[in-house]
Amino acid sequence: MRRAMLLLGVFALVVGAFVLLYRGPGQPFIRGYVSDVSATMLVYALLGLLWRTTAARRALTTAAIATAVEIYQMVGTTPPGIGGVLVGAFPDPWDLVAYAIGVVAALAWERRTGRSGDQAGRLSDTTPPAH
C-alpha cells in the first residue's frame, strides 16, 4: 500500500505542476477545480503514508480537511505568499464537488492498485500465509 500512496502522491504533484504551467483554453476551470482535485488526492496520499487505517477513514479525514479549508476561506483572511496559493482566497461551493471527485479518484486509485498488487502474486493483508 505504501507504493500505491507514493505513486498517488507523485501523480497528484504532476497534475498540480501541469495546472500551474497550463496556459491554454479553459485555464480558469483547470486552475480552479483540477487543482482542487489533485490537492485532495495529495492529502489522501499523505494520510495513507502517515496513518494506517481504513480507506473510509482516510477518505472522511481528507474530506474533512478539504471542507475545513473551504470554511476557512469563508471566515479567514488569505495568508500571504505560498499560503494563499495553497489555501485559496475565495470560497466556492463547486470546490466541494472538486474535493469529492478527488477523494473518489484517490479511493479508486487505492482500490485499483491494491487489486493489481494482489493479482501480481503478492499477499494481501487479509490473506493467511500458506503452510
Side-chain angles (χ1 to χ4, degrees):
M1 175 167 102
R2 182 169 176 78
R3 183 170 185 251
M5 292 298 108
L6 283 170
L7 290 173
L8 177 61
V10 168
F11 177 73
L13 289 171
V14 167
V15 171
F18 167 78
V19 166
L20 286 175
L21 299 173
Y22 183 74
R23 299 290 183 254
Q27 182 185 8
F29 175 84
I30 290 173
R31 185 81 185 251
Y33 302 113
V34 175
S35 63
D36 289 341
V37 171
S38 69
T40 307
M41 290 170 28
L42 181 60
V43 169
Y44 186 94
L46 290 172
L47 287 175
L49 290 170
L50 299 173
W51 186 26
R52 289 193 71 109
T53 190
T54 65
R57 284 189 181 148
R58 267 192 305 283
L60 288 173
T61 303
T62 301
I65 291 168
T67 302
V69 166
E70 204 61 26
I71 291 170
Y72 176 79
Q73 289 176 356
M74 286 189 267
V75 297
T77 59
T78 303
I82 192 74
V85 173
L86 292 174
V87 175
F90 303 105
D92 180 356
W94 286 104
D95 286 349
L96 297 174
V97 174
Y99 299 149
I101 291 169
V103 169
V104 169
L107 282 167
W109 179 286
E110 182 175 5
R111 174 173 257 182
R112 174 97 172 128
T113 56
R115 281 189 186 155
S116 65
D118 291 343
Q119 291 171 354
R122 290 185 226 134
L123 295 177
S124 71
D125 293 337
T126 59
T127 305
H131 295 290

